[in-house]
Amino acid sequence: MGEIRVLTTPAEASVTLTYEKQPEVSTRAPYNPGMRLPIGRVVVSARALGYRTVSRTIDLTTGGASVNFTLSPMQVVVGEVFRDPLVSGGRGPQMIVIPPGSFVMGDPGGPPSMLPATRRILSQPFAVSVNEVSIGEYLRYAEATGVEVDERLLEASEPVRYVRWAEAVAYADWLSSETGGRYRLPTEAEWEYMARAGTD
């Protein structure tokens, strides 16, 4: 076991650690000062509202390790289109920054699945991929991680299909580790807000 020490600027950043508690079994846990982890590879990630997420991989020894992060303020321009570089080479999906805003989620005159209609507020801008994840993009992830791919996949330019929710989450986690950014699936509210595109 080794002690890991993490300091962040800003100090209120949320820190998570990913490590192997047992051989070939990854564990993700929030950081607490004085934490002791099994020696070996540890991925340390820090995030804070309004700042770019950062990650670093370290080799923890019995002597312990210290990690200092200074998070960069996120310079967000609504409508900006970008592609983050991947550590393994190439670039991630094309993303676009969506503005914050509010909308009525659901439909007061719709079926029970769309009730109750409630006002939702998205207080922070966020980025979403311009296009669906293509089969080619997903295959790149699968080859890098050894994930098995459904044989029903067709053209590399088409959107990926036959992917379970957990597999989509794993793909987003891989993008996070490759870019140092925070990639995830959109929430239901974010998806509906984007799909409505300012309409009711």
Side-chain angles (χ1 to χ4, degrees), residues 172-195:
D173 288 344
W174 176 77
L175 283 175
S176 297
S177 66
E178 282 283 309
T179 64
R182 181 182 175 224
Y183 283 76
R184 59 175 175 79
L185 300 180
T187 66
E188 183 181 9
E190 288 169 340
W191 175 255
E192 187 168 335
Y193 175 68
M194 291 181 297

Side-chain angles (χ1 to χ4, degrees), residues 28-198:
R28 187 179 220 164
Y31 167 74
N32 291 305
M35 245 177 128
R36 295 179 64 79
L37 303 177
I39 59 172
R41 184 174 162 266
V42 179
V43 178
V44 185
S45 299
R47 61 179 48 102
L49 195 59
Y51 292 84
R52 274 205 169 271
T53 298
V54 291
S55 294
R56 186 175 305 152
T57 301
I58 62 166
D59 288 317
L60 183 64
T61 66
T62 54
S66 294
V67 180
N68 294 321
F69 284 127
T70 300
L71 281 67
S72 302
M74 194 175 289
Q75 304 297 327
V76 179
V77 178
V78 170
E80 176 185 6
V81 176
F82 64 91
R83 293 182 73 184
D84 285 331
L86 303 176
V87 171
S88 58
R91 295 195 168 272
Q94 187 177 42
M95 308 291 286
I96 186 167
V97 179
I98 305 295
S102 65
F103 72 108
V104 176
M105 186 170 174
D107 183 354
S113 63
M114 299 186 77
L115 297 173
T118 54
R119 178 153 294 283
R120 299 297 299 267
I121 298 172
L122 300 171
S123 60
Q124 296 289 319
F126 59 98
V128 64
S129 58
V130 173
N131 301 300
E132 296 90 345
V133 175
S134 73
I135 292 170
E137 288 171 326
Y138 191 79
L139 287 176
R140 180 177 188 162
Y141 148 75
E143 289 169 7
T145 60
V147 169
E148 288 187 26
V149 176
D150 193 300
E151 293 179 4
R152 293 175 287 181
L153 295 179
L154 300 171
E155 299 290 328
S157 61
E158 292 184 6
V160 71
R161 296 170 294 190
Y162 311 115
V163 173
R164 295 189 309 262
W165 178 83
E167 294 168 328
V169 168
Y171 171 73
D173 288 344
W174 176 77
L175 283 175
S176 297
S177 66
E178 282 283 309
T179 64
R182 181 182 175 224
Y183 283 76
R184 59 175 175 79
L185 300 180
T187 66
E188 183 181 9
E190 288 169 340
W191 175 255
E192 187 168 335
Y193 175 68
M194 291 181 297
R196 287 176 178 269

